[in-house]
Amino acid sequence: MRTWVKGLIVFVVISSILIGCGKVENSTGEQPKEEPKPSYSGEIVKEAAIENGENGSIVVLYTLKNDSGVEVQYEISSGLTVDYIVFDEHGEMISQLSREVMSTMAIQTLTLKQGEVFEEAFSIGGLPDGKYTIQLFLTSAQQEELVEKEFSISNSMYQRMTGKLIEMNGDVVTVEIGEEPVPFQLTDLAKDQLMTMEEDGFIEFIYVETEYEEKTIERIIFIEYRTHVHLDKSVLEVEQELGKVVEQIKANPNVLEGLKPFEIFTLYMYVLAGEDFETLYHFYLPDSMDIPVEEYVKQNRDGNVEAHRSFMRQFNEVRDFTVITKDQQGRVEFSLEGEQTDLAFQLRMQENTWYVMPTPLQ
């Protein structure tokens, strides 16, 4: 009996000591501290800071910060990691880095760890007074992480001009401004841009005039060619060799590569006259049509057939056309007999091939 009582007393004492020890260790009432969790926005933060310089120049700092919480990688398709395009207030492209510098075609990978920052700075000059927009982006296949920023230039020494190129002689060209021939020196960039140009084309360019009245073309904005085409017969009477393209296009869309804008126009109108809408579908700029070929064919067959055929009868009588090409854009202008307004057939070049725009006649 005493042995049992002694055992009970020992158990109670030991339990009290253990409980007491527990109370002493937590006497402050504080809970164990947890490690702070990392804080991030879950996205790639991209920015472009622009600082105006003197005489029509800017410095642009393009920045990417990986705040996604994970490591990210970009597959870069050239020696240039970042490209930029400068547009004027009317959307005309003024400058693109990748068109003005040489770069390798080597594939490289840009890796950004969580919290890592990538920066690249650019100095852009030769801009006349005006409002501009710059787009900067990685040179990956999808032109990822695009940033768009507006800026203005004032008090620039550069000016913008349009004229007809009438003579080229080494580093000097003569441009007809109004009716006056004006000589211009060329920078290396402008000389490269004019390398493959024929005389009698229209150019828009940026130039600077020195205190000694010497004029130097800094860069060419665009080159426009105008060619008049007169036919003795209907444009719908297609030559046999050109007609073979129609037979091949459905099986091999690449057959259009290398054809000139007027040849594409001729074939399109020839196929349109024959109401072969399935073949016609293959003339359009890739990925520009928002409906499949079956729906396109159905819509055209269910449309106003008589109005279409009436237009084609009028078009069959047209003999004069003007072909205009400017950079990657082209159009063929003509007028129907008795009509006051010219019609323009719109084309665009992609990967060395001229294609028809979704709504070509305007």
Side-chain angles (χ1 to χ4, degrees):
M1 181 69 174
R2 287 180 182 177
T3 304
W4 178 82
V5 172
K6 278 184 178 181
L8 180 60
I9 293 171
V10 171
F11 173 78
V12 173
V13 170
I14 293 174
S15 299
S16 299
I17 291 171
L18 291 175
I19 295 171
C21 289
K23 287 183 178 178
V24 170
E25 289 178 356
N26 294 287
S27 59
T28 61
E30 295 180 356
Q31 297 296 322
K33 293 183 178 179
E34 296 183 2
E35 290 294 325
K37 294 182 179 179
S39 175
Y40 44 81
S41 65
E43 61 183 18
I44 303 297
V45 181
K46 48 197 176 185
E47 185 56 72
I50 299 177
E51 182 178 337
N52 283 73
E54 296 181 349
N55 296 325
S57 67
I58 60 169
V59 174
V60 186
L61 180 63
Y62 175 76
T63 305
L64 295 179
K65 181 182 179 182
N66 182 6
D67 207 24
S68 66
V70 296
E71 182 181 282
V72 295
Q73 290 187 337
Y74 303 96
E75 188 174 275
I76 305 301
S77 56
S78 79
L80 285 176
T81 304
V82 180
D83 197 2
Y84 66 72
I85 307 175
V86 178
F87 300 93
D88 68 10
E89 60 186 318
H90 305 295
E92 191 82 56
M93 187 177 73
I94 301 299
S95 173
Q96 181 169 7
L97 179 62
S98 58
R99 292 189 175 195
E100 299 176 4
V101 300
M102 296 292 292
S103 64
T104 64
M105 296 299 290
I107 303 296
Q108 56 177 315
T109 301
L110 173 63
T111 302
L112 293 180
K113 297 179 181 179
Q114 161 58 28
E116 191 173 358
V117 176
F118 168 82
E119 292 183 342
E120 190 154 344
F122 303 94
S123 179
I124 305 171
L127 297 172
D129 289 356
K131 297 179 180 179
Y132 298 90
T133 299
I134 186 170
Q135 292 180 348
L136 301 104
F137 47 87
L138 296 177
T139 57
S140 57
Q142 294 78 30
Q143 296 186 346
E144 295 169 284
E145 311 307 352
L146 184 144
V147 177
E148 187 171 283
K149 202 90 168 179
E150 295 180 353
F151 66 95
S152 297
I153 295 290
S154 58
N155 301 318
S156 173
M157 62 189 295
Y158 292 90
Q159 301 179 61
R160 189 167 170 171
M161 184 68 69
T162 302
K164 183 179 181 181
L165 181 66
I166 57 177
E167 186 179 4
M168 298 176 62
N169 185 12
D171 294 336
V172 179
V173 295
T174 302
V175 181
E176 188 175 78
I177 309 296
E179 297 183 355
E180 179 185 356
V182 180
F184 289 87
Q185 297 285 331
L186 296 174
T187 61
D188 289 341
L189 171 60
K191 187 176 179 180
D192 289 342
Q193 290 177 309
L194 293 175
M195 191 75 71
T196 59
M197 182 178 177
E198 301 172 2
E199 295 174 3
D200 294 333
F202 285 85
I203 59 174
E204 184 168 359
F205 55 92
I206 294 172
Y207 76 98
V208 62
E209 185 172 350
T210 68
E211 56 183 328
Y212 305 107
E213 297 185 354
E214 292 181 348
K215 298 179 177 66
T216 300
I217 295 179
E218 176 74 15
R219 64 160 54 89
I220 308 299
I221 298 176
F222 71 74
I223 301 169
E224 183 176 276
Y225 293 105
R226 289 175 174 262
T227 305
H228 180 71
V229 178
H230 175 76
L231 302 175
D232 295 326
K233 58 182 180 181
S234 170
V235 71
L236 299 178
E237 296 181 42
V238 176
E239 298 293 336
Q240 185 176 2
E241 285 301 313
L242 194 58
K244 291 180 180 178
V245 174
V246 175
E247 301 170 8
Q248 302 173 39
I249 186 172
K250 283 191 286 187
N252 179 24
N254 293 330
V255 73
L256 297 178
E257 184 176 351
L259 293 181
K260 297 178 180 180
F262 191 73
E263 291 175 321
I264 298 293
F265 166 73
T266 298
L267 289 174
Y268 180 93
M269 299 305 290
Y270 172 75
V271 175
L272 180 63
E275 300 180 12
D276 182 359
F277 300 114
E278 183 178 354
T279 298
L280 202 67
Y281 189 88
H282 296 278
F283 282 87
Y284 292 108
L285 188 70
D287 301 322
S288 66
M289 302 294 285
D290 57 4
I291 56 174
V293 60
E294 296 80 9
E295 182 64 23
Y296 174 79
V297 172
K298 183 178 185 302
Q299 286 184 8
N300 279 277
R301 286 178 177 166
D302 293 345
N304 192 331
V305 177
E306 184 51 44
H308 162 72
R309 293 175 180 172
S310 175
F311 169 81
M312 295 309 302
R313 284 193 292 270
Q314 288 180 282
F315 178 76
N316 192 49
E317 303 302 318
V318 178
R319 297 292 182 269
D320 291 288
F321 305 86
T322 300
V323 183
I324 303 168
T325 57
K326 171 184 167 184
D327 197 16
Q328 306 296 309
Q329 302 175 56
R331 67 183 187 274
V332 179
E333 295 182 348
F334 62 93
S335 57
L336 301 176
E337 186 176 355
E339 300 289 339
Q340 299 294 323
T341 306
D342 286 349
L343 293 173
F345 184 89
Q346 308 291 327
L347 304 104
R348 183 179 292 275
M349 178 180 279
Q350 180 174 299
E351 297 181 355
N352 201 38
T353 303
W354 286 99
Y355 292 100
V356 178
M357 295 299 288
T359 310
L361 280 171
Q362 298 180 6

